[in-house]
């Protein structure tokens, strides 16, 4: 049971994505000027797909633990994020002034892939250093 608690951040991230996707186009457009005060380069919310699914993949990797630092774990993490992205795009088809967009799904997958590969890289670099320290001792 202890390991399942590690997935709570991923669940919370999924809830946040669902809530954001539940906003109508008008609601999102009304929030954009406020967000642009902090991020003036942002012309729309499309880059947020990268960010949201990057964070989702990091939280899933946390839940998976050391398994996320294998190629199989990396691919599983990306697959879970893409499947969630598919359900998110389907969900948007029911939201006023929103529609599913294949490019959004591509951006979701790219954010998830970047995070998953980063986890894999950091874990491998950390273990390489650790093994060097053991042989030097």
């Amino acid at each position: 049971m202890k390991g399942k608690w590690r997935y709570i951040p991923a669940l919370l991230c999924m809830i946040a994505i669902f809530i954001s996707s539940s906003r109508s186009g008008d609601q999102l457009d009304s929030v954009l000027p406020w967000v642009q005060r902090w991020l003036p380069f942002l012309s729309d919310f499309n880059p947020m797909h990268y960010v949201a699914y990057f964070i989702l993949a990091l939280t899933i990797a946390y839940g998976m633990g050391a398994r996320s630092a294998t190629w199989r774990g990396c691919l599983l993490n990306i697959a879970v994020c893409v499947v969630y992205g598919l359900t998110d795009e389907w969900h948007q088809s029911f939201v006023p002034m929103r529609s599913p967009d294949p490019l959004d799904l591509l951006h979701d997958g790219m954010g998830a892939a970047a995070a998953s590969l980063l986890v894999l890289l950091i874990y491998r670099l950390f273990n390489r250093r650790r093994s060097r320290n053991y042989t030097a001792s």
Side-chain angles (χ1 to χ4, degrees), residues 2-77:
K2 183 178 180 181
K4 293 181 185 199
W5 289 104
R6 292 177 61 100
Y7 286 99
I8 288 177
L11 182 63
L12 293 174
C13 189
M14 289 175 169
I15 291 169
I17 290 170
F18 181 86
I19 290 169
S20 297
S21 293
S22 299
R23 303 288 181 236
S24 71
D26 283 343
Q27 289 173 322
L28 288 176
D29 289 341
S30 68
V31 172
L32 186 59
W34 182 83
V35 173
Q36 287 174 324
R37 287 185 198 168
W38 300 99
L39 305 169
F41 57 88
L42 200 65
S43 61
D44 57 31
F45 284 112
N46 283 332
M48 299 313 286
H49 285 270
Y50 295 107
V51 173
Y53 283 81
F54 185 91
I55 294 169
L56 177 59
L58 289 179
T59 60
I60 290 171
Y62 174 73
M64 292 173 70
R67 290 178 294 159
S68 67
T70 65
W71 282 109
R72 179 178 277 175
C74 182
L75 293 175
L76 177 62
N77 191 349

Side-chain angles (χ1 to χ4, degrees), residues 32-128:
L32 186 59
W34 182 83
V35 173
Q36 287 174 324
R37 287 185 198 168
W38 300 99
L39 305 169
F41 57 88
L42 200 65
S43 61
D44 57 31
F45 284 112
N46 283 332
M48 299 313 286
H49 285 270
Y50 295 107
V51 173
Y53 283 81
F54 185 91
I55 294 169
L56 177 59
L58 289 179
T59 60
I60 290 171
Y62 174 73
M64 292 173 70
R67 290 178 294 159
S68 67
T70 65
W71 282 109
R72 179 178 277 175
C74 182
L75 293 175
L76 177 62
N77 191 349
I78 295 167
V80 168
C81 289
V82 168
V83 168
Y84 188 74
L86 278 168
T87 65
D88 182 49
E89 292 303 315
W90 177 72
H91 166 240
Q92 286 181 26
S93 69
F94 299 101
V95 177
M97 299 179 64
R98 301 287 298 272
S99 60
D101 185 353
L103 280 177
D104 288 349
L105 187 60
L106 175 66
H107 298 157
D108 298 345
M110 290 171 67
S116 297
L117 291 171
L118 182 65
V119 167
L120 185 66
L121 177 68
I122 289 173
Y123 186 83
R124 294 216 171 166
L125 287 174
F126 178 75
N127 277 341
R128 185 176 292 158

